[in-house]
Amino acid sequence: KRIDLPQKRIMDIGCGAGGLASMLEKHNIKNYHGFDYSNNAILQAKELVPKWQKKFFIHDCNILNEIPYEFDIGIAIEVLEHLDDMIIINQLKKNTYFIGSVPNYWAANHAHVRVYPSKFYIWKRYRKKLSFLKWKKLKLGRGNFIYIFLSKVK
């Protein structure tokens, strides 16, 4: 299933230093907002994508439902493995799309609070809230990989 991104409102949950925002801006996406808990990350994102300075803000993903922006697609890349992922998942509004990425490996710096060893594990963890539409397995080497998934909130 293809999603018409230019027509969708995108929320980058845990946008970090703005890597995804930079790619989206280069593809003419206009309806974007990104937040992170880290002031330093937001400053880096604003520097990386200066045209979007007003689109980045500091926010805590534990109170996702308090964001003053509506969105059709929530994106959490390299986020879910670092915190209580179900707090984010359970706050997503029905019929919005959600794109997430999760690793199968433990980070060397112990930054991951959980890993996702298989597609089945991911499905089992999120199945009550998400309908999975598409999967991509990104192999990193040494048996490490990241699953990227597109889903729709039930």
Side-chain angles (χ1 to χ4, degrees):
K1 179 171 183 156
R2 295 192 61 86
I3 299 172
D4 187 10
L5 283 181
Q7 302 304 315
K8 300 293 184 189
R9 298 167 296 179
I10 297 169
M11 180 60 64
D12 192 353
I13 301 165
C15 67
L20 177 63
S22 177
M23 290 189 305
L24 293 174
E25 188 266 339
K26 288 174 183 165
H27 283 88
N28 256 355
I29 302 300
K30 304 281 187 228
N31 296 320
Y32 169 94
H33 284 93
F35 73 86
D36 202 281
Y37 189 72
S38 165
N39 183 53
N40 189 43
I42 293 299
L43 291 173
Q44 290 176 40
K46 289 178 175 183
E47 189 174 310
L48 184 63
V49 192
K51 287 199 279 188
W52 282 9
Q53 294 226 359
K54 293 181 180 176
K55 294 179 182 273
F56 298 108
F57 59 100
I58 297 170
H59 193 76
D60 183 346
C61 62
N62 290 320
I63 49 174
L64 187 62
N65 55 1
E66 294 182 17
I67 288 177
Y69 303 103
E70 292 292 321
F71 58 93
D72 306 303
I73 303 173
I75 302 175
I77 303 297
E78 291 293 310
V79 172
L80 300 173
E81 66 272 20
H82 295 282
L83 40 78
D84 187 344
D85 55 346
M86 295 310 295
I87 290 176
I88 294 172
I89 300 298
N90 287 326
Q91 291 183 77
L92 296 169
K93 291 182 182 176
K94 185 178 180 176
N95 291 323
T96 59
Y97 289 97
F98 180 72
I99 299 170
S101 75
V102 291
N104 79 322
Y105 59 92
W106 293 103
N109 62 358
H110 306 290
H112 296 168
V113 296
R114 90 192 51 72
V115 296
Y116 306 75
S118 68
K119 200 174 359 177
F120 175 75
Y121 180 89
I122 301 163
W123 171 83
K124 187 176 175 187
R125 185 164 181 83
Y126 302 136
R127 73 184 185 276
K128 291 180 182 172
K129 187 72 177 178
L130 303 176
S131 294
F132 292 92
L133 304 173
K134 193 167 186 178
W135 297 87
K136 177 73 176 169
K137 185 177 181 179
L138 180 63
K139 295 179 182 178
L140 305 175
R142 296 181 155 169
N144 294 343
F145 57 84
I146 295 173
Y147 274 112
I148 302 168
F149 59 88
L150 167 64
S151 60
K152 193 160 189 181
V153 181
K154 295 179 182 180

